């Protein structure tokens, strides 16, 4: 299902705050992008003109995502007439964000715009380090967190500056589309997939993917496609056109794990998913490629130690 994303665009918007997340979401193929704002045409932080911006709408479809990108100089530009109009528009629709009819995403000083509209009161949030103290002063009810790439709290997502918007957009792809699509999008853009410091750890489907070796990625893709299969090392190595010894060395170098250890992590993830679906430990173990529930428990113990 395609999800609608509305970028609220202000004059002097930070170009990468806008285009970085937009590119991620567009490449994922699962989002319809719209651009709305108080003015039909604006100039960005780098002098580029953006035109054909739709007016601020009276309503949005349910489950829409509203993205507030930062501006070049939030000390002055958030007091401009267009910014104040955007702030009023957000404040009037505060209930739609609070009841999660819409999702709020803030990049860089977009958090300050949201905070001024009352959308961050009582929410954990973050922003660019240069804006952090002003966010605390101007929005004392916000629970501002330092040293975070991004923060998620009850359907409100806020990120630090500039490239952190790309990290947050990749996380949204993972959340709404799936971790494998997020990983594929990150690889297409040649960027790392990262999570915020207080978010859950990466699942095995995404962990150990922050490298650029194509053959290792191919081997990981093969294992991830059929984790329950009995993959012999030599058979997997032939699939990626190298020797078993060389593939083993590359896994150690780029993942810090053996091929067997990585494969076992994928199988454990499958088993955990089946357990959460209520299938029982024996069925879950067999579905993940373990020979028995006993073998599954031993694998779980190895990674808990």
């Amino acid at each position: 299902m395609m999800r609608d994303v509305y970028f609220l665009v202000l004059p002097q918007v930070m170009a990468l705050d806008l285009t970085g997340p937009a590119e991620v979401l567009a490449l994922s193929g699962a989002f319809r992008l719209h651009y709305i704002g108080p003015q039909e045409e604006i100039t960005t932080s780098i002098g580029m003109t953006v035109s054909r911006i739709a007016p601020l709408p009276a309503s949005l479809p349910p489950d829409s995502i509203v993205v507030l990108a930062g501006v070049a100089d939030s000390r002055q530009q958030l007091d401009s007439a267009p910014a104040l109009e955007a702030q009023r528009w957000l404040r009037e629709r505060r209930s739609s964000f609070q009841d999660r009819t819409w999702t709020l995403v803030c990049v860089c000083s977009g958090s300050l715009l949201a905070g001024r509209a009352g959308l961050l009161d009582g929410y954990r949030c973050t922003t660019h380090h240069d804006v952090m103290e002003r966010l605390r002063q101007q929005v004392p009810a916000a629970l501002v967190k330092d040293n975070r790439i991004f923060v998620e709290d009850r359907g409100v997502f806020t990120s630090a500056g500039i490239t952190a918007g790309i990290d947050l957009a990749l996380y949204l792809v993972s959340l709404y589309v799936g971790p494998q699509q997020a990983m594929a999008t990150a690889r297409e853009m040649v960027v790392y997939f990262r999570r915020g410091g207080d978010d859950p750890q990466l699942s095995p489907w995404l962990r150990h993917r922050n490298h650029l070796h194509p053959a290792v990625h191919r081997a990981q893709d093969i294992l991830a496609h059929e984790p329950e299969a009995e993959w012999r090392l030599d058979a997997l190595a032939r699939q990626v056109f190298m020797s078993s010894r060389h593939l083993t060395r590359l896994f150690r170098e780029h993942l810090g794990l053996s091929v067997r250890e990585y494969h076992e992590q994928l199988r454990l993830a499958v088993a955990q998913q089946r357990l959460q679906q209520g299938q029982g430990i024996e069925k879950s173990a067999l579905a993940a490629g373990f020979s028995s529930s006993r073998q599954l428990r031993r694998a779980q113990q190895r990674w808990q130690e």
Side-chain angles (χ1 to χ4, degrees):
M1 183 182 70
M2 297 287 282
R3 190 176 292 264
D4 290 291
V5 181
Y6 292 83
F7 287 85
L8 202 165
V9 184
L10 293 177
Q12 290 299 301
V13 64
M14 292 291 291
L16 195 55
D17 284 1
L18 174 64
T19 60
E23 200 69 62
V24 170
L25 299 178
L27 282 171
S28 76
F31 301 88
R32 281 187 296 265
L33 307 188
H34 312 269
Y35 303 93
I36 60 175
Q39 296 180 329
E40 184 180 2
E41 183 176 296
I42 59 96
T43 302
T44 72
S45 60
I46 58 173
M48 178 177 64
T49 298
V50 178
S51 60
R52 301 175 65 184
I53 301 168
L56 293 170
S59 63
L60 298 176
D63 298 322
S64 293
I65 299 172
V66 178
V67 181
L68 309 182
V71 293
D73 185 355
S74 58
R75 291 184 183 275
Q76 297 183 16
Q77 289 154 1
L78 288 185
D79 289 324
S80 67
L84 293 176
E85 183 179 344
Q87 184 177 312
R88 285 192 296 271
W89 184 84
L90 290 166
R91 186 183 296 111
E92 290 168 0
R93 287 151 184 82
R94 182 177 177 180
S95 62
S96 294
F97 293 107
Q98 290 178 330
D99 64 15
R100 302 199 190 187
T101 301
W102 303 337
T103 296
L104 178 65
V105 175
C106 304
V107 181
C108 197
S109 61
S111 297
L112 191 54
L113 176 63
R116 288 182 171 191
L119 302 182
L120 298 184
D121 290 356
Y123 284 85
R124 294 185 304 113
C125 58
T126 194
T127 187
H128 190 280
H129 56 84
D130 285 344
V131 186
M132 201 79 70
E133 286 309 311
R134 274 186 290 132
L135 181 59
R136 286 195 172 99
Q137 292 169 8
Q138 296 180 23
V139 193
L143 309 176
V144 183
K145 301 297 180 181
D146 295 302
N147 302 317
R148 298 289 194 275
I149 297 171
F150 61 84
V151 172
E152 174 188 2
D153 188 1
R154 292 167 286 162
V156 173
F157 301 82
T158 54
S159 76
I162 320 299
T163 59
I166 293 175
D167 297 313
L168 177 51
L170 285 167
Y171 176 63
L172 293 173
V173 174
S174 174
L175 187 66
Y176 292 117
V177 188
Q180 290 179 310
Q181 183 58 49
M183 178 267 296
T185 302
R187 287 175 58 192
E188 178 72 16
M189 296 183 69
V190 199
V191 297
Y192 287 155
F193 186 102
R194 301 186 294 183
R195 295 284 288 271
D198 58 351
D199 286 308
Q201 291 295 306
L202 287 174
S203 74
W205 309 107
L206 291 171
R207 198 181 304 138
H208 312 301
R209 288 286 193 161
N210 288 352
H211 65 84
L212 299 177
H213 198 290
V216 177
H217 276 303
R218 284 198 299 272
Q220 289 177 283
D221 290 342
I222 292 167
L223 292 172
H225 184 65
E226 291 185 279
E228 71 284 355
E230 282 291 341
W231 281 105
R232 291 171 51 90
L233 179 59
D234 57 350
L236 181 63
R238 282 196 300 272
Q239 291 271 1
V240 295
F241 308 105
M242 63 177 60
S243 68
S244 299
R245 182 177 180 180
H246 189 41
L247 182 62
T248 298
R249 184 184 66 78
L250 289 175
F251 261 68
R252 284 292 185 189
E253 178 182 346
H254 293 284
L255 277 66
L257 297 172
S258 68
V259 176
R260 184 197 65 78
E261 288 170 334
Y262 180 73
H263 188 192
E264 187 171 79
Q265 284 197 5
L266 295 180
R267 284 182 163 180
L268 285 170
V270 173
Q272 183 61 34
Q273 289 170 353
R274 297 301 178 95
L275 287 168
Q276 290 173 346
Q277 294 167 1
Q279 292 194 16
I281 190 166
E282 195 66 37
K283 285 186 176 180
S284 298
L286 295 175
F290 293 102
S291 61
S292 65
S293 59
R294 183 179 182 183
Q295 188 185 39
L296 169 59
R297 289 193 184 96
R298 287 177 175 173
Q300 289 171 329
Q301 290 172 355
R302 275 194 293 273
W303 292 103
Q304 290 171 354
E305 292 173 356

